[in-house]
Amino acid sequence: MLTIKDLSVDHGAIRALHGVSFKVEKGQLAAVIGANGAGKTTLLRALSGLNKASQGQAHWGDHNILHSKPEALVRHGISHVCEGKSVIPELTVAENLDLGALWRRNRKEAVQSKKEVVELFPRLGERLSQRADSLSGGERQMLALGRAMMSKPQLLLLDEPSLGLAPLVIEQIFQSIRELTTAMGLTVLLVEQNAMGALKIADVGIVLNLGSIAAIGSAAALKDDPAVRAAYLGF
Amino acid sequence: MFQFINTLLIGITAGSIYSLMAIAIVLVWRSTRVINFAQGGLALASSFVGAAVLEKTGSFWVSLPIAMIAGAIFSAAIEFFFLRPLLKRSGEKEQEIFLPIIATLGLLGIIKTVLNFIYGDRIGVITPPLSDKGFVISGESIALSPMRLLILGTVVVLMVVLTLIFQRTNLGLSLRASSFAPEISRLAGVRVDLIRTVGWAISGAAGATAGILQTTNGSGSISPESFEFSLLLVFGFVAAVIGGIESLVGAVLGGLTLGIILSIILMYVGGSLVFFAAFLILILVLLLRPQGIIGAKGGRRA
Ligand SMILES: Nc1ncnc2c1ncn2[C@@H]1O[C@H](COP(=O)(O)OP(=O)(O)OP(=O)(O)O)[C@@H](O)[C@H]1O
Ligand SMILES: [Mg+2]
């Protein structure tokens, strides 16, 4: 279970998160939605160790995840896919994938993970020796997801995987995320501007507004909540 | 024609040494975004270690690897104790971007002072292990000697080893990934700080080799105020810039290009212009082709 208590994060003088508290049960997919600048990215970056928290606590299981480095948190099962296509353009597709598993002692399992990723995204399998900057936007997003999967995560932090993709591709990516969550028993925090799409596949929804939680509940309930509809779904 | 071939041979040998120095500079630049002017001092210090070992053991083949290890340790130590804390604090405010570079200049001074303190007027001697008399072909002695061949061979072997490390090993993948995208690498589980130190260590070893080879190819001796090593630093830097500063292949091509051009100038124009020519090339490349001679339009290369 992911437990966040009273979490505040500052960017210099600007407080981006104001004492946020929530829980996500193991195996659940939680959509985090909210307007630009609501603090969604900041939340994920604090959880993966990229940003320092100023206050509060966050636990993944019994492990305290604040004040750790990202490279240490990966080893505790937390993988983060950043905003934008989080791949290394100069490396090949295979190298991008391998990178996520370099730290794993068990090489056999790492090879197995790569097989699974390629099965999930066959288009990556066909392009293993191509440089990542030759991929389309959708393929890059698949690669970013695949790289995260190579670290055998239990908690997956995804920042706007739909950014800049065509509607059809967005649907595919969302579908893959949903399937992965169920098949591998992952816990997922999915940050999205595409609120409707995210709520459709999510179990729970968290609405952030100006760094605080404006609403939280089951995804289905939030989808039908008139206030949420008006403010974030646009109808 | 004969003279021209000799000029080329001399240029290629010297250039291969500049390539090594350029590689040392590029490795540090890629991992830390710092031009390490202390590289010349590091090479000098490692060469003094090599000279000391040579004096004790009498074996060039023992002294070279030990000098490389010394170079690696010196360089890694500088990264760990000096640059890492400095970079942790700086980088955000604009005027502080120059701090690390100026700091490496300061380090160069410190290293030279320490060497001066230890060695004073004494010099280190690195006698070539092989003859530097040119091979004789159809009655004429060419500019390729067993020693030059050894230098070229050493450089080629090192390049091959480096290429294999960078392209074929997990360490190489970590090194490349960390230099291109430290944040993504961290998220993928790479210990970027450690990898950075390793990058500096490899750079130090390459610089040490350049230092030893430069000495055997030149006067055979070193002093704390060695002008040869100042040249080595400058030429290595120019070679790195010619190669686009990001690329190891570029560094090698840059070194060879510079070596050949300077050798031609030395032979046909005059020795007094060599230094001037190196800077002219530097400025021309920066003005006309800042991405270097092999820098692709599409950006960085592995
Ligand atoms: N590095 C930074 N330095 C200063 N302020 C920052 C920094 N990163 C974010 N902020 C500020 O923190 C607040 C939250 O930003 P954040 O990126 O978390 O929003 P977001 O919800 O991810 O927005 P978007 O949907 O546009 O990605 C914003 O006011 C932003 O300006
Ligand atoms: Mg964001």
Side-chain angles (χ1 to χ4, degrees):
Chain A
M1 187 165 66
L2 175 68
T3 319
I4 295 169
K5 243 193 234 144
D6 196 27
L7 177 66
S8 297
V9 180
D10 297 303
H11 295 293
I14 302 167
R15 174 148 288 197
L17 279 184
H18 301 265
V20 167
S21 305
F22 65 88
K23 287 181 184 172
V24 180
E25 298 290 339
K26 196 164 176 296
Q28 282 198 323
L29 199 171
V32 180
I33 59 177
N36 290 116
K40 307 182 296 293
T41 297
T42 305
L43 171 66
L44 289 199
R45 288 178 64 92
L47 294 182
S48 68
L50 286 175
N51 280 3
K52 287 212 161 41
S54 319
Q55 192 186 303
Q57 289 162 352
H59 286 84
W60 169 238
D62 348 311
H63 188 67
N64 182 355
I65 58 177
L66 295 186
H67 319 298
S68 291
K69 290 181 179 171
E71 56 265 41
L73 290 175
V74 179
R75 289 161 171 81
H76 276 102
I78 303 178
S79 277
H80 180 180
V81 178
C82 290
E83 215 170 351
K85 283 120 210 141
S86 187
V87 304
I88 305 183
E90 294 87 352
L91 302 183
T92 64
V93 170
E95 286 171 338
N96 268 284
L97 289 178
D98 290 340
L99 195 65
L102 286 186
W103 60 272
R104 289 170 67 178
R105 287 270 164 269
N106 191 332
R107 298 319 301 167
K108 268 203 195 120
E109 277 182 28
V111 171
Q112 183 57 32
S113 293
K114 199 166 168 185
K115 259 202 202 132
E116 287 166 13
V117 169
V118 170
E119 262 164 42
L120 182 68
F121 302 118
R123 295 171 66 158
L124 295 183
E126 294 155 17
R127 293 167 172 74
L128 282 176
S129 56
Q130 233 165 284
R131 265 172 63 131
D133 54 7
S134 68
L135 298 181
S136 74
E139 289 159 358
R140 278 194 209 197
Q141 195 58 60
M142 291 173 196
L143 181 55
L145 258 175
R147 188 268 294 154
M149 294 310 298
M150 291 292 289
S151 305
K152 203 184 183 187
Q154 295 156 328
L155 174 62
L156 196 53
L157 309 170
L158 302 177
D159 202 344
E160 297 201 34
S162 74
L163 193 72
L165 301 184
L168 215 65
V169 184
I170 295 181
E171 198 139 317
Q172 278 172 15
I173 294 274
F174 278 179
Q175 218 45 55
S176 310
I177 293 171
R178 179 68 253 183
E179 278 164 23
L180 269 178
T181 311
T182 316
M184 324 248 341
L186 299 179
T187 308
V188 179
L189 221 49
L190 170 65
V191 161
E192 262 304 331
Q193 284 290 336
N194 184 337
M196 196 62 203
L199 285 178
K200 264 191 199 150
I201 59 164
D203 301 305
V204 293
I206 298 160
V207 181
L208 275 184
N209 184 31
L210 297 175
S212 302
I213 293 189
I216 185 164
S218 84
L222 281 181
K223 245 182 350 198
D224 298 330
D225 182 327
V228 172
R229 285 188 89 106
Y232 301 103
L233 302 179
F235 58 90
Chain B
M1 189 60 205
F2 191 72
Q3 192 187 28
F4 185 69
I5 288 173
N6 272 348
T7 310
L8 279 187
L9 286 171
I10 292 171
I12 289 171
T13 314
S16 70
I17 299 174
Y18 306 155
S19 299
L20 274 184
M21 198 63 185
I23 284 178
I25 289 168
V26 166
L27 279 173
V28 163
W29 170 256
R30 293 202 339 172
S31 75
T32 322
R33 302 286 135 185
V34 170
I35 295 295
N36 182 12
F37 287 109
Q39 209 97 56
L42 284 173
L44 190 58
S46 326
S47 299
F48 267 110
V49 172
V53 174
L54 186 60
E55 197 178 33
K56 282 255 152 43
T57 65
S59 164
F60 179 82
W61 295 112
V62 174
S63 72
L64 178 62
I66 291 183
M68 287 171 78
I69 293 170
I73 294 173
F74 292 156
S75 183
I78 285 182
E79 192 280 338
F80 189 85
F81 293 111
F82 198 76
L83 258 100
R84 193 182 289 199
L86 195 69
L87 286 167
K88 282 250 154 71
R89 287 194 297 105
S90 79
E92 262 138 58
K93 297 186 205 100
E94 287 221 347
Q95 68 271 29
E96 288 185 346
I97 291 175
F98 296 104
L99 267 186
I101 295 177
I102 294 169
T104 67
L105 268 175
L107 266 175
L108 178 60
I110 291 173
I111 294 172
K112 286 200 167 173
T113 311
V114 170
L115 286 176
N116 242 319
F117 185 74
I118 299 175
Y119 285 92
D121 294 334
R122 284 182 299 146
I123 55 167
V125 179
I126 303 174
T127 28
L130 297 175
S131 153
D132 56 0
K133 286 220 169 54
F135 293 113
V136 177
I137 290 179
S138 57
E140 289 203 70
S141 162
I142 63 167
L144 191 66
S145 60
M147 186 57 215
R148 285 228 158 91
L149 213 51
L150 175 73
I151 291 174
L152 283 172
T154 310
V155 174
V156 169
V157 168
L158 274 181
M159 307 264 175
V160 171
V161 170
L162 271 181
T163 309
L164 287 177
I165 290 179
F166 269 82
Q167 299 298 332
R168 293 288 157 82
T169 67
N170 287 348
L171 173 64
L173 179 54
S174 302
L175 280 161
R176 284 180 294 143
S178 305
S179 76
F180 290 137
E183 194 165 273
I184 296 177
S185 302
R186 282 215 156 86
L187 292 175
V190 178
R191 292 197 165 98
V192 172
D193 288 337
L194 175 68
I195 291 295
R196 189 165 285 165
T197 311
V198 173
W200 276 67
I202 298 176
S203 157
T209 316
I212 298 262
L213 296 184
Q214 172 75 7
T215 310
T216 51
N217 194 38
S219 63
S221 67
I222 41 174
S223 75
E225 292 303 331
S226 166
F227 181 61
E228 251 173 15
F229 275 70
S230 305
L231 282 185
L232 182 61
L233 176 66
V234 171
F235 291 166
F237 178 64
V238 176
V241 170
I242 296 176
I245 199 89
E246 289 279 352
S247 149
L248 294 178
V249 180
V252 174
L253 294 181
L256 293 177
T257 311
L258 184 68
I260 291 171
I261 294 178
L262 294 186
S263 169
I264 289 174
I265 288 173
L266 186 67
M267 182 67 76
Y268 297 102
V269 185
S272 55
L273 280 179
V274 166
F275 212 57
F276 168 77
F279 280 109
L280 190 65
I281 294 169
L282 176 67
I283 287 171
L284 284 180
V285 170
L286 286 176
L287 282 178
L288 302 178
R289 245 187 114 72
Q291 74 274 40
I293 45 175
I294 74 149
K297 273 169 256 123
R300 302 176 300 186
R301 273 156 187 272

